[in-house]
Amino acid sequence: MISLFGNLLLYSAAIVSIATIIYSKLFNIELNKRYKYSSFFTVAQFLFIFFSYILLTYAYIVSDFSIFNVWQNSELNKPLIYKITGVWGNHEGSILLWVLILSFYSFLVVIIDRIIPKNYTLNVLFIQSLITLAFLLFIIFTSNPFILQYPVPSDGVGLNSLLQDPGLIIHPPLLYIGYVGFSVVFSYSIAAMLDKDTNSTWALWIRKWVYIAWCSLTLGITIGSWWAYYELGWGGWWFWDPVENASLLPWITGTALMHSLSIFRSSGQHRDWTLLLSILTFSFSLMGTFLVRSGILTSVHSFASDPQRGLWILVIMSFFVIMSFTIFILNLTENNEKTNFYIFKRGTFILFNNYLLMLSCFIVLFGTLYPLILESITSEVITVGPQYFNTVFIPITILLAILMPIGPNLPWSGKVSTQTINRICMSLIITISLIIILQIIVEGKTFNLNLLIIGLGAWIIINSIVDLLPNNNHSADKNISDIIMFNIKNINLRRAGVRIAHAGFGLLIVGIVTASSYSEQKDLKILNGGIVDINKYVLQYEGLETDIGENYDDLVLNFKIQSHNKNLGEILPKKRFFRNSGDITTEAGIFRHNMSHIFITVGEVQESYIYATISYKPFVRFIWLGSFFMVAGLLTSLLIRIYFIKRTHD
C-alpha cells in the first residue's frame, strides 16, 4: 500500500506541475483567475510531494523491506534517527528530498511574495514548475524510491556505515536548501527578462532568496567539512574532492551575486552581470547534482553509478542552461552604462572582488572538469590535487584580503572622506604592529609568507570592528571608559551584518593558514602505558575497553591528556564494528583546548600496543567559527534591513 500511494502521489505531483505550466501561460484567461489556479496547483504540488516523502519515511521507520529502496538502505536494528535520516542517505531518497525542497520554495513564493505583480509571479511559477516537472519525471522513470520486490527479505542490507553519523542529519538537507534555493533566484531572473522588467525592484525581490540560499549552502559546506574532518579520519577540512568542488562553484558565484546586487540596487549598474551571475549560480547547482549522480565520479560523496541517470540529469541541465542563456542574450541591454570612473569607489572595489571570485571559480571548474574530459577523450586517468588548487588560490586570497577591508569603507560616489582614510589607516597600523609582533615571537629573523596571510586575515577582522564605530565620538572631554561605552552604544547597526560576515571570512583565513602551517603530526606505535609528547601536551595511552551500541560495537582507546602537569581530560578514539554489514570504521578522538585540537586516529589495534596518528592543530576551530560568523552576519544584515524598513513604514 505504501508503494501504491507513494507512486500515486508522485504522478499527481507531475500532473499538477503540468497544470501550473499550462495555466500560467493561458493568456486567454483573466490574469486573476490564472494566478488563482496556478497558485492552487503549486500548493497541491508541494502537498503531493510532501506526503510522498512522508510515506517513504514511514516505510523506513517500520522497516517495510518490500520496498527495494528501504531494504537496500536500512535494517531492523538501525537507530530510529538514522532510519529517518537514512531516507536521504541514498540516491532515490535524496533526489526526492531535492524535489520536496524545490516544491517548498515554490510554495513559499506563493505564500510570501504576494505583493509582487501577478504576471511576474506567474512567470516565476512557470519556471519553477518546469524544473520540478523535469525532476519528477527523472524520479518516476529512473529513480523511483517506491519500487517493490518479492519475496520480502527478513532484514535489510543497511545504511552505508560512514553515513550513520549526526552529520547525515544536517549536512545534506542544508546543501539542498542552498542548491535548490538558487532555483528561485534563477526563476525570478528569467521571469524578469521574460517580463522585460529588470529594474532595481527585481533586485530587491530576489535579495532575501539569495541570502537564504547562500546561508544554507555555506552551513551545508561547513558542516560537511566538519563531518569529513572527524568521521573519515582525514584530519583535514577540505581535500578538493570533485564533489566538494561542485558545491564550491555555486557558493563562489552566489557570493559574487550578493555583492553585484548591492551595486545594482545602489546605482542601477551592471544589470547584465547580475543576471548572468544568477543564471550561473543555479547552473552550477545543477552541475553539482549531475556530478554526484551521473556515475562519472568515484567519491565518498557519490550516490549513483547508473549512466542512464547521468544522461537524464545532463539533458535537464543542458535544457535549462541553454534556455536561460538564450533568454539572457536576447535581453542584453544596449546601454553601455558609461559613467565617470573612480577607482576609489565602493562599486569599483566590489567589481574587482567579483572578478577575483570569478577567476577562482574558473580555476576550480577547470581543475574539476579537465581530468573528466581528458579521460573521456583519451582514457587517460589523471588527478588534479590540492597542490594545484592551493598554489593558484593563495595569490587570489591575498588580493581578496587586501581589497575586502578597503571596499566597504569607500563611498558609492567616489569622494573619499578624511574619516574613511582615518579608519583604514587605524586598522592598517594595528595590523602591521600585530604582524611585526607575531614575526618576532613565532619566526624570529626568518620571514614566513604564512604570517603575512594571517596578518591579512587579522586586518579584515580589525577593520570590520573599527568600521562599526560611530563617525564621531566627541572623545576630547571623555575618559577611556566613557569613550568605550559611547562606541558600544552607538555602533553603526546598518553596517553590523556585513562587517560580522567579513570578520568571519578573516577568521576563516586565520584558521586555515594557522592550522595548515603550524600543525604537528606524529605516527607512532604506542605500548600500553606509553607516553607521547606533542607541542605543549603530554598524552598517555591507558588501554582499551568495549562499548555496545544499537547496531555496532565500539573498541574504545583511552588516552589521558596533560599540559604543564595539569590534567585536562581524556581522548577516546574508537574502532567501530557494524554487526550487520561487517564494516569497520575509525572514529577520531578530538580534544578541544581553547581554539585548537588534539586529534587522534587509530590504525592497527592489539592487546599490548596500537598504531596511532596524533596531531596538534592550532586555531583549527577558527575555520568553522569563521564560517558560522559569515552566516550570522548575513542573517543579521537581513534582519536589520527588515527592522529599518518596518520602522520607516511605522
Side-chain angles (χ1 to χ4, degrees):
M1 291 297 289
I2 292 177
S3 175
L4 174 63
F5 283 113
N7 279 302
L8 284 175
L9 287 167
L10 288 177
Y11 283 115
S12 300
I15 291 170
V16 294
S17 297
I18 295 171
T20 306
I21 293 168
I22 294 173
Y23 261 87
S24 63
K25 291 300 176 184
L26 283 177
F27 296 109
N28 58 332
I29 298 178
E30 182 191 0
L31 176 63
N32 287 334
K33 191 173 182 179
R34 281 197 293 138
Y35 178 81
K36 177 182 177 181
Y37 279 104
S38 295
S39 299
F40 171 78
F41 289 138
T42 299
V43 174
Q45 174 199 87
F46 164 66
L47 291 175
F48 285 139
I49 297 172
F50 173 74
F51 284 115
S52 71
Y53 187 85
I54 292 297
L55 277 178
L56 183 61
T57 304
Y58 177 73
Y60 269 80
I61 292 172
V62 300
S63 297
D64 184 355
F65 297 129
S66 66
I67 297 176
F68 181 77
N69 180 261
V70 177
W71 168 77
Q72 196 173 40
N73 299 284
S74 189
E75 58 181 293
L76 289 172
N77 294 326
K78 188 165 70 171
L80 177 61
I81 185 63
Y82 295 121
K83 286 185 177 182
I84 296 172
T85 59
V87 176
W88 59 73
N90 59 88
H91 166 70
E92 292 82 4
S94 66
I95 200 68
L96 182 59
L97 176 64
W98 205 97
V99 176
L100 172 62
I101 295 170
L102 178 61
S103 65
F104 182 62
Y105 270 116
S106 301
F107 171 77
L108 289 179
V109 168
V110 171
I111 299 300
I112 295 175
D113 285 346
R114 294 184 177 182
I115 62 171
I116 295 175
K118 292 179 179 178
N119 60 323
Y120 188 97
T121 303
L122 284 171
N123 281 332
V124 173
L125 296 180
F126 171 74
I127 301 298
Q128 284 289 106
S129 294
L130 272 179
I131 301 170
T132 305
L133 177 62
F135 279 95
L136 279 171
L137 294 176
F138 172 68
I139 290 174
I140 291 169
F141 290 110
T142 73
S143 307
N144 194 327
F146 295 105
I147 293 175
L148 291 172
Q149 65 172 347
Y150 294 102
V152 179
S154 59
D155 201 354
V157 175
L159 182 68
N160 183 332
S161 302
L162 290 174
L163 299 180
Q164 189 169 307
D165 184 89
L168 178 67
I169 302 171
I170 310 170
H171 167 59
L174 283 173
L175 269 186
Y176 294 167
I177 293 170
Y179 277 150
V180 180
F182 284 116
S183 73
V184 182
V185 180
F186 173 84
S187 297
Y188 268 82
S189 300
I190 299 299
M193 289 187 283
L194 291 175
D195 209 40
K196 307 294 182 183
D197 185 18
T198 51
N199 53 34
S200 58
T201 307
W202 156 77
L204 187 65
W205 291 338
I206 71 169
R207 182 175 60 192
K208 63 177 176 293
W209 301 112
V210 174
Y211 282 14
I212 291 169
W214 188 90
C215 287
S216 298
L217 185 58
T218 303
L219 285 175
I221 293 172
T222 301
I223 292 170
S225 168
W226 168 247
W227 184 10
Y229 174 75
Y230 74 83
E231 172 62 23
L232 298 180
W234 292 348
W237 48 89
W238 196 264
F239 277 78
W240 299 106
D241 178 281
V243 181
E244 288 178 327
N245 295 348
S247 69
L248 188 61
L249 290 170
W251 185 88
I252 293 173
T253 53
T255 304
L257 175 60
M258 284 192 302
H259 289 84
S260 185
L261 276 173
S262 66
I263 302 178
F264 185 63
R265 288 199 327 270
S266 300
S267 64
Q269 293 181 309
H270 310 300
R271 168 253 195 201
D272 291 342
W273 176 246
T274 307
L275 286 168
L276 178 62
L277 287 172
S278 66
I279 293 171
L280 281 175
T281 303
F282 182 60
S283 298
F284 283 135
S285 296
L286 289 176
M287 191 187 80
T289 305
F290 167 71
L291 289 175
V292 172
R293 302 172 193 281
S294 62
I296 64 174
L297 293 177
T298 301
S299 166
V300 69
H301 301 89
S302 298
F303 276 118
S305 57
D306 185 351
Q308 183 186 4
R309 291 170 174 172
L311 181 61
W312 263 86
I313 297 180
L314 183 61
V315 170
I316 293 171
M317 181 178 70
S318 300
F319 171 77
F320 285 106
V321 169
I322 293 171
M323 178 268 291
S324 59
F325 274 98
T326 301
I327 295 172
F328 172 72
I329 291 170
L330 293 175
N331 282 270
L332 285 171
T333 54
E334 297 180 2
N335 180 16
N336 292 324
E337 298 179 348
K338 292 182 179 179
T339 58
N340 294 328
F341 178 79
Y342 296 99
I343 189 168
F344 291 106
K345 186 171 70 170
R346 188 180 303 183
T348 305
F349 270 65
I350 291 176
L351 207 56
F352 288 158
N353 166 287
N354 270 8
Y355 293 155
L356 288 171
L357 287 172
M358 294 312 295
L359 176 61
S360 66
C361 184
F362 172 77
I363 289 168
V364 174
L365 183 65
F366 176 79
T368 303
L369 294 185
Y370 175 71
L372 303 177
I373 296 171
L374 183 66
E375 183 180 358
S376 65
I377 296 173
T378 66
S379 298
E380 181 183 354
V381 179
I382 67 167
T383 301
V384 177
Q387 185 176 1
Y388 159 78
F389 292 105
N390 293 338
T391 301
V392 294
F393 257 78
I394 287 174
I396 294 176
T397 302
I398 290 174
L399 289 173
L400 281 171
I402 291 171
L403 294 176
M404 185 177 287
I406 300 174
N409 282 287
L410 298 177
W412 291 105
S413 63
K415 298 178 181 179
V416 182
S417 66
T418 304
Q419 182 77 27
T420 297
I421 296 173
N422 290 340
R423 286 178 183 275
I424 294 173
C425 289
M426 182 193 303
S427 61
L428 189 59
I429 291 169
I430 296 172
T431 303
I432 292 173
S433 302
L434 179 63
I435 292 174
I436 293 172
I437 293 170
L438 287 174
Q439 175 68 37
I440 294 171
I441 295 174
V442 179
E443 298 291 343
K445 296 181 180 180
T446 305
F447 174 75
N448 191 331
L449 178 63
N450 293 316
L451 274 183
L452 175 62
I453 301 175
I454 292 171
L456 289 173
W459 186 32
I460 297 172
I461 299 169
I462 293 166
N463 187 270
S464 298
I465 296 171
V466 170
D467 198 35
L468 289 176
L469 302 179
N471 291 330
N472 190 355
N473 59 22
H474 305 287
S475 59
D477 301 324
K478 297 180 180 179
N479 57 41
I480 295 296
S481 61
D482 289 337
I483 294 172
I484 293 172
M485 290 306 299
F486 178 86
N487 286 329
I488 292 174
K489 291 178 180 178
N490 294 275
I491 282 176
N492 192 326
L493 285 178
R494 290 182 181 272
R495 297 176 179 173
V498 174
R499 301 311 180 264
I500 292 171
H502 283 186
F505 185 72
L507 276 177
L508 180 68
I509 291 175
V510 173
I512 289 174
V513 178
T514 306
S516 301
S517 305
Y518 297 98
S519 62
E520 299 177 30
Q521 180 173 308
K522 293 184 177 181
D523 298 308
L524 302 162
K525 177 183 179 181
I526 308 174
L527 302 176
N528 283 347
I531 293 176
V532 179
D533 294 314
I534 186 165
N535 197 265
K536 60 183 179 181
Y537 302 97
V538 178
L539 288 80
Q540 183 172 16
Y541 173 53
E542 297 192 338
L544 54 85
E545 60 187 42
T546 58
D547 185 35
I548 299 175
E550 288 190 57
N551 65 334
Y552 60 83
D553 300 312
D554 277 342
L555 197 60
V556 183
L557 296 308
N558 295 297
F559 284 84
K560 298 295 182 183
I561 181 168
Q562 292 183 332
S563 179
H564 304 298
N565 296 319
K566 179 182 177 181
N567 290 324
L568 298 180
E570 59 183 6
I571 310 177
L572 304 173
K574 302 170 185 176
K575 282 290 187 180
R576 179 161 292 175
F577 301 84
F578 288 88
R579 301 188 200 105
N580 194 35
S581 64
D583 292 340
I584 302 174
T585 62
T586 298
E587 306 294 316
I590 302 174
F591 183 80
R592 300 161 181 84
H593 191 229
N594 298 325
M595 286 292 131
S596 303
H597 281 169
I598 299 294
F599 185 97
I600 302 177
T601 55
V602 177
E604 181 184 347
V605 177
Q606 297 294 336
E607 189 173 348
S608 59
Y609 67 88
I610 61 170
Y611 283 95
T613 298
I614 301 176
S615 305
Y616 166 66
K617 300 179 181 296
F619 296 101
V620 70
R621 298 174 80 179
F622 277 178
I623 295 172
W624 300 288
L625 183 64
S627 299
F628 286 123
F629 262 74
M630 287 193 288
V631 172
L634 202 62
L635 293 177
T636 300
S637 178
L638 183 60
L639 292 174
I640 288 173
R641 289 177 188 275
I642 293 172
Y643 166 75
F644 279 110
I645 289 171
K646 286 186 175 181
R647 197 173 73 169
T648 302
H649 288 319
D650 293 341

